[in-house]
Amino acid sequence: MFALAYGKARTGAALDNPVLRTEGRVTLIDGLLAAAVLLGLVLNSTLGWWWADPAAGYVLVHYAVREVHEIFFGEH
């Protein structure tokens, strides 16, 4: 996912395409969110840290609330 994000951003910069550059940033965020969930699941299953999985969920909720706030109250 991270290689794809890098490739999209690099190609967007080379073509001077703002949509592709933005898509690269979105793909990077998707990769970070997926890594947070995976880390929470791995820590829960291997070390028995029951709180790691819900903590990863809170990372997702935090990002979602931030995005909703930007949609409704951000400058367009």
Side-chain angles (χ1 to χ4, degrees), residues 6 10 30 35-36 40 49 59 63 73 76:
Y6 175 74
R10 184 174 166 204
D30 290 343
W49 291 358
V59 169
Y63 182 73
F73 304 112
H76 299 285

Side-chain angles (χ1 to χ4, degrees), residues 4-59:
L4 179 63
Y6 175 74
K8 286 180 178 182
R10 184 174 166 204
T11 304
L15 296 174
D16 195 28
N17 185 332
V19 173
L20 196 52
R21 284 194 306 257
T22 302
E23 183 64 28
R25 286 193 298 271
V26 169
T27 304
L28 176 65
I29 295 297
D30 290 343
L32 291 173
L33 293 174
V37 170
L38 180 63
L39 180 64
L41 291 172
V42 167
L43 290 175
N44 188 7
S45 65
T46 58
L47 300 177
W49 291 358
W50 61 268
W51 51 267
D53 190 25
Y58 286 128
V59 169

Side-chain angles (χ1 to χ4, degrees), residues 22 25-26 29-30 33 59-76:
T22 302
R25 286 193 298 271
V26 169
I29 295 297
D30 290 343
L33 293 174
V59 169
L60 297 175
V61 168
H62 172 72
Y63 182 73
V65 167
R66 200 177 95 187
E67 287 296 309
V68 167
H69 186 268
E70 178 67 26
I71 289 169
F72 289 115
F73 304 112
E75 294 184 26
H76 299 285

